[in-house]
Amino acid sequence: MGLNTTILGPVVTTLASSTLIFSNMTEDDLAFNISASQPPTTSSTSSAGDIAESSSASTDPSYLDNLDIRKVINAGGVDYGEFGLCVNWLPINHIYFQLANIFLFLSYLAPNGIYGILYLRITLTIGCTFFSLWGWVILCSFDTFLWNAIFVLINLVHVIVICYYLRPVRFTPEIEQVYRSLFQPLKVSRHQFKKVIKCMRIIRYVKFQEIYAQEKITRVDSLSLVLSGRLVISQNGRALHIVSQHQFLDSPEWFGVSTDEFFQVSATAIEDSRVLIWHRDKVKLTISGDQFLQAVFDHILGRDVVKKLMQIAEFRRVNESLSGMGNGHCVANLSDESETKPLLVVKRGEESGSITNIINRQLQANDTAPWRLGRIEETDQETPV
């Protein structure tokens, strides 16, 4: 059964064009090779008119049914052999073609991750560049050049965007220390942390004995992190616990407290301190679209609250244990930076009710002796425990 002439016609034309490209054949050579593949005519002699008719017969459908495509390809120097396999191969392509395929091969070896994607885009850009050069300089095919030039531009844009995303993000030394201490261990990227830092209101300097927040007066409209120094948290003039470096002053208020409410405790600096202050609502709005950052903030602030509760519980436990020792109460030793906060027992008769006086007495006492919890030394005014 003969081949469909509608399909075979364009195929013959394409193969003939390919033969002209790779073998530099002339149109007369092509016409000769096609006529050589025609079926034999019934007449043994041919005139000039018969040759013209045989040449025009190449477009006749009945002729295309009997045309062997391989004879046309063989005219370009390609020999398929007895079993349909190539015997005489075409010459090796230009070095541009080889380099293009080498970089395409390398692109398939790209690893996972953002750096793997960057590697993939770079190798694709270089590979398409060589394909574009091969189409323009060697093949002289405008469509080959144009398509690969478009691929180069697309991959180049991706490379620029990824490099911009991977650019180094730098912070001030204080902010860098916060990032490394609190956020980097939780796999927060620098770009994510930078979004949070943009919500920063100010870094406030709090002098010694300066009141940062006063109970029932200061509104809960910020999120404050101690960068350096220490502050004592008190209620009704009695110290509850101490907030040290990289701890939050208002972590309990983060959960379930609106910005129009007031602090129920006071925060007073017991040494010169620096406090990073965020816009509370702005931080919540920023992290609302990122579930990962929401989980990170809930974890960090929740852990901070637990530490405060444990410190208050320990303070109360020691107070109760000392209730049988005399008519006194216990306050935190404000000069200790250890995890286990040392405490002081102060007689009720000596208490002035002022948190500032308590701080001053404790600081003076600790200038001369490093008190530790569980160690008792009797004095006239104070008994460190």
Side-chain angles (χ1 to χ4, degrees), residues 105-116:
F105 169 77
L106 293 175
S107 69
Y108 298 145
L109 304 179
N112 295 326
I114 186 65
Y115 290 99

PDB file of all heavy atoms in Angstrom, residues 105-116:
ATOM      1  N   PHE A 105      23.499  19.265  29.848  1.00  0.00           N
ATOM      2  CA  PHE A 105      23.763  18.074  30.649  1.00  0.00           C
ATOM      3  C   PHE A 105      24.076  18.452  32.103  1.00  0.00           C
ATOM      4  O   PHE A 105      23.589  17.826  33.043  1.00  0.00           O
ATOM      5  CB  PHE A 105      24.933  17.295  30.037  1.00  0.00           C
ATOM      6  CG  PHE A 105      25.470  16.206  30.919  1.00  0.00           C
ATOM      7  CD1 PHE A 105      24.790  15.002  31.060  1.00  0.00           C
ATOM      8  CD2 PHE A 105      26.651  16.381  31.629  1.00  0.00           C
ATOM      9  CE1 PHE A 105      25.278  14.004  31.894  1.00  0.00           C
ATOM     10  CE2 PHE A 105      27.149  15.392  32.449  1.00  0.00           C
ATOM     11  CZ  PHE A 105      26.453  14.193  32.577  1.00  0.00           C
ATOM     12  N   LEU A 106      24.887  19.490  32.285  1.00  0.00           N
ATOM     13  CA  LEU A 106      25.214  19.929  33.637  1.00  0.00           C
ATOM     14  C   LEU A 106      23.991  20.442  34.383  1.00  0.00           C
ATOM     15  O   LEU A 106      23.888  20.304  35.607  1.00  0.00           O
ATOM     16  CB  LEU A 106      26.294  21.016  33.587  1.00  0.00           C
ATOM     17  CG  LEU A 106      27.679  20.577  33.089  1.00  0.00           C
ATOM     18  CD1 LEU A 106      28.610  21.777  32.985  1.00  0.00           C
ATOM     19  CD2 LEU A 106      28.271  19.519  34.014  1.00  0.00           C
ATOM     20  N   SER A 107      23.038  21.047  33.659  1.00  0.00           N
ATOM     21  CA  SER A 107      21.829  21.551  34.318  1.00  0.00           C
ATOM     22  C   SER A 107      20.995  20.426  34.901  1.00  0.00           C
ATOM     23  O   SER A 107      20.297  20.614  35.898  1.00  0.00           O
ATOM     24  CB  SER A 107      20.990  22.365  33.328  1.00  0.00           C
ATOM     25  OG  SER A 107      20.419  21.534  32.332  1.00  0.00           O
ATOM     26  N   TYR A 108      21.076  19.249  34.292  1.00  0.00           N
ATOM     27  CA  TYR A 108      20.313  18.112  34.818  1.00  0.00           C
ATOM     28  C   TYR A 108      20.892  17.592  36.144  1.00  0.00           C
ATOM     29  O   TYR A 108      20.232  16.820  36.832  1.00  0.00           O
ATOM     30  CB  TYR A 108      20.295  16.969  33.807  1.00  0.00           C
ATOM     31  CG  TYR A 108      19.624  17.332  32.505  1.00  0.00           C
ATOM     32  CD1 TYR A 108      20.090  16.820  31.301  1.00  0.00           C
ATOM     33  CD2 TYR A 108      18.530  18.186  32.474  1.00  0.00           C
ATOM     34  CE1 TYR A 108      19.478  17.157  30.102  1.00  0.00           C
ATOM     35  CE2 TYR A 108      17.921  18.528  31.284  1.00  0.00           C
ATOM     36  CZ  TYR A 108      18.397  18.010  30.096  1.00  0.00           C
ATOM     37  OH  TYR A 108      17.786  18.341  28.915  1.00  0.00           O
ATOM     38  N   LEU A 109      22.086  18.018  36.497  1.00  0.00           N
ATOM     39  CA  LEU A 109      22.720  17.576  37.731  1.00  0.00           C
ATOM     40  C   LEU A 109      22.473  18.542  38.891  1.00  0.00           C
ATOM     41  O   LEU A 109      23.105  18.424  39.932  1.00  0.00           O
ATOM     42  CB  LEU A 109      24.231  17.421  37.517  1.00  0.00           C
ATOM     43  CG  LEU A 109      24.660  16.493  36.377  1.00  0.00           C
ATOM     44  CD1 LEU A 109      26.180  16.472  36.269  1.00  0.00           C
ATOM     45  CD2 LEU A 109      24.118  15.090  36.588  1.00  0.00           C
ATOM     46  N   ALA A 110      21.558  19.498  38.705  1.00  0.00           N
ATOM     47  CA  ALA A 110      21.312  20.504  39.739  1.00  0.00           C
ATOM     48  C   ALA A 110      20.741  19.855  40.993  1.00  0.00           C
ATOM     49  O   ALA A 110      19.814  19.047  40.907  1.00  0.00           O
ATOM     50  CB  ALA A 110      20.346  21.570  39.214  1.00  0.00           C
ATOM     51  N   PRO A 111      21.270  20.187  42.173  1.00  0.00           N
ATOM     52  CA  PRO A 111      20.731  19.632  43.433  1.00  0.00           C
ATOM     53  C   PRO A 111      19.467  20.362  43.853  1.00  0.00           C
ATOM     54  O   PRO A 111      19.047  21.338  43.218  1.00  0.00           O
ATOM     55  CB  PRO A 111      21.875  19.871  44.424  1.00  0.00           C
ATOM     56  CG  PRO A 111      22.559  21.099  43.897  1.00  0.00           C
ATOM     57  CD  PRO A 111      22.456  21.031  42.394  1.00  0.00           C
ATOM     58  N   ASN A 112      18.868  19.911  44.949  1.00  0.00           N
ATOM     59  CA  ASN A 112      17.682  20.563  45.482  1.00  0.00           C
ATOM     60  C   ASN A 112      18.064  21.824  46.252  1.00  0.00           C
ATOM     61  O   ASN A 112      19.220  22.031  46.592  1.00  0.00           O
ATOM     62  CB  ASN A 112      16.915  19.596  46.406  1.00  0.00           C
ATOM     63  CG  ASN A 112      16.354  18.409  45.644  1.00  0.00           C
ATOM     64  OD1 ASN A 112      15.961  18.534  44.488  1.00  0.00           O
ATOM     65  ND2 ASN A 112      16.310  17.257  46.293  1.00  0.00           N
ATOM     66  N   GLY A 113      17.079  22.642  46.534  1.00  0.00           N
ATOM     67  CA  GLY A 113      17.321  23.849  47.321  1.00  0.00           C
ATOM     68  C   GLY A 113      17.469  25.079  46.454  1.00  0.00           C
ATOM     69  O   GLY A 113      17.520  25.016  45.216  1.00  0.00           O
ATOM     70  N   ILE A 114      17.538  26.226  47.113  1.00  0.00           N
ATOM     71  CA  ILE A 114      17.596  27.497  46.410  1.00  0.00           C
ATOM     72  C   ILE A 114      18.888  27.640  45.624  1.00  0.00           C
ATOM     73  O   ILE A 114      18.900  28.175  44.518  1.00  0.00           O
ATOM     74  CB  ILE A 114      17.428  28.665  47.413  1.00  0.00           C
ATOM     75  CG1 ILE A 114      17.333  30.000  46.684  1.00  0.00           C
ATOM     76  CG2 ILE A 114      18.552  28.656  48.436  1.00  0.00           C
ATOM     77  CD1 ILE A 114      16.123  30.136  45.826  1.00  0.00           C
ATOM     78  N   TYR A 115      20.001  27.125  46.162  1.00  0.00           N
ATOM     79  CA  TYR A 115      21.267  27.206  45.433  1.00  0.00           C
ATOM     80  C   TYR A 115      21.275  26.255  44.244  1.00  0.00           C
ATOM     81  O   TYR A 115      21.920  26.531  43.221  1.00  0.00           O
ATOM     82  CB  TYR A 115      22.439  26.909  46.368  1.00  0.00           C
ATOM     83  CG  TYR A 115      22.680  27.993  47.393  1.00  0.00           C
ATOM     84  CD1 TYR A 115      22.212  27.866  48.692  1.00  0.00           C
ATOM     85  CD2 TYR A 115      23.355  29.160  47.054  1.00  0.00           C
ATOM     86  CE1 TYR A 115      22.411  28.859  49.633  1.00  0.00           C
ATOM     87  CE2 TYR A 115      23.563  30.170  47.977  1.00  0.00           C
ATOM     88  CZ  TYR A 115      23.084  30.013  49.267  1.00  0.00           C
ATOM     89  OH  TYR A 115      23.287  31.017  50.190  1.00  0.00           O
ATOM     90  N   GLY A 116      20.574  25.132  44.355  1.00  0.00           N
ATOM     91  CA  GLY A 116      20.437  24.237  43.218  1.00  0.00           C
ATOM     92  C   GLY A 116      19.651  24.877  42.087  1.00  0.00           C
ATOM     93  O   GLY A 116      19.975  24.707  40.903  1.00  0.00           O
TER      94      GLY A 116
END
